[in-house]
Amino acid sequence: MFQLRWIVTQQQDGMLVREFLKQQHISKTALTDIKFQGGRIEVNDVPVTVRYVLKAGDEVCVSFPPEQKGVHMVAEPIPLAVVYEDDYVIVINKPPHMSTIPSREHPHGTLANALLYHYEQQQLQTTVHVVTRLDRDTSGLVLVAKHRHVHHLLSEQQKQGRVKRRYEAVCHGYVTPLVGTIDAPIGRKGDSIIEREVRLDGQRAVTHYEVLQQKNEMTHVSIRLETGRTHQIRVHFSHIGHPLVGDDLYGGLREHIDRQALHSCELTFFHPFFEKTMTFHAPLPDDIARLL
């Protein structure tokens, strides 16, 4: 069972448990789950309600209810490239051709299936909470929370732009200028459930890039996202006439690589429990390295 503990400070003396837990960023949804799904709130090892009045020096312990995985989520013994792991988060270097979560087209062999097996080996009763999802054919770093509350905290960081990712990509042609920003709204294309396009009624999307090298009618770029729209990098570079190499959905050619040449190479976030900024790197995979 996932637990969190705090010591009540002098400034928090006289505060209701409800107010105290709100200060610790425990959501109303989490409190409802704790109350009705088998969790508990204790002060000095004694069960209390959210109306209990705290005193300085009290120890508050919140035990969250066990998490149940979805009926269609199956643990599968798939190797994982674990870059970092602690009690709260896990960072994975996802290979290309692996979906992040199961879908109708790809119900098995996903990162989620592999994570569930990994959790079972640790006797961890939880489900998969992906913070930074990647397309099936995009490789690189994925941040996953090990508990619903941790996911809530990291999702709040994402909304504030504090979870940062850098990508590297190879696109067709010679991109100019060498440093630039693509600011163009993105929305769903027609009736497609997959394809996106730049359109006036779309959501704001901003991509910053810097050219690393250019040769053989290709450009190697470093990319940072200001927003996180579906297929944002792929759509934006196709929009400016430089689709990613291998991205046949958006105009790229697959002569030299069998997927879009896109890799999440750097991930930075503020760890909500260790209270420090953490940065991780993943080198380019072999197929993109060969392309370069």
Side-chain angles (χ1 to χ4, degrees), residues 114-127:
L115 281 166
L116 286 175
Y117 182 82
H118 182 74
Y119 294 158
E120 283 187 1
Q121 302 311 296
Q122 298 178 329
Q123 297 183 318
L124 188 64
Q125 189 171 356
T126 186
T127 189

Side-chain angles (χ1 to χ4, degrees), residues 3-20:
Q3 291 183 329
L4 293 175
R5 294 177 182 272
W6 304 270
I7 300 297
V8 178
T9 66
Q10 197 66 50
Q11 290 78 15
Q12 295 163 330
D13 186 86
M15 188 177 281
L16 293 177
V17 166
R18 182 193 295 110
E19 296 168 350
F20 178 85

Side-chain angles (χ1 to χ4, degrees), residues 24-80:
Q24 311 310 319
H25 307 287
I26 306 290
S27 68
K28 288 183 179 179
T29 302
L31 281 178
T32 301
D33 284 346
I34 291 164
K35 184 174 181 179
F36 296 108
Q37 301 297 327
R40 63 181 181 271
I41 302 169
E42 296 171 308
V43 174
N44 303 325
D45 299 322
V46 178
V48 298
T49 70
V50 293
R51 295 182 295 277
Y52 183 86
V53 180
L54 295 168
K55 299 187 292 292
D58 282 346
E59 182 184 63
V60 180
C61 176
V62 171
S63 300
F64 293 84
E67 294 189 24
Q68 305 297 326
K69 66 178 187 290
V71 292
H72 300 297
M73 297 283 281
V74 180
E76 298 176 7
I78 302 167
L80 280 174

Side-chain angles (χ1 to χ4, degrees), residues 190-227:
D191 295 327
S192 175
I193 61 171
I194 298 174
E195 202 169 350
R196 303 299 196 270
E197 65 180 353
V198 169
R199 51 189 302 154
L200 291 176
D201 62 350
Q203 293 179 296
R204 182 170 183 262
V206 181
T207 302
H208 305 287
Y209 73 85
E210 179 181 354
V211 170
L212 300 176
Q213 59 176 319
Q214 295 180 317
K215 63 181 179 181
N216 300 329
E217 294 297 324
M218 292 186 289
T219 298
H220 179 200
V221 288
S222 173
I223 300 161
R224 290 191 183 274
L225 297 183
E226 189 172 313
T227 55

Side-chain angles (χ1 to χ4, degrees), residues 170-173 216-218 234 238 241-262 287 291:
V170 182
C171 52
H172 289 288
N216 300 329
E217 294 297 324
M218 292 186 289
R234 301 164 64 188
S238 177
H242 298 284
L244 301 192
V245 176
D247 189 3
D248 55 359
L249 182 63
Y250 293 109
L253 301 178
R254 290 204 165 192
E255 292 176 290
H256 304 296
I257 191 170
D258 65 352
R259 54 108 175 188
Q260 65 260 14
L262 179 60
D287 58 353
L291 184 66

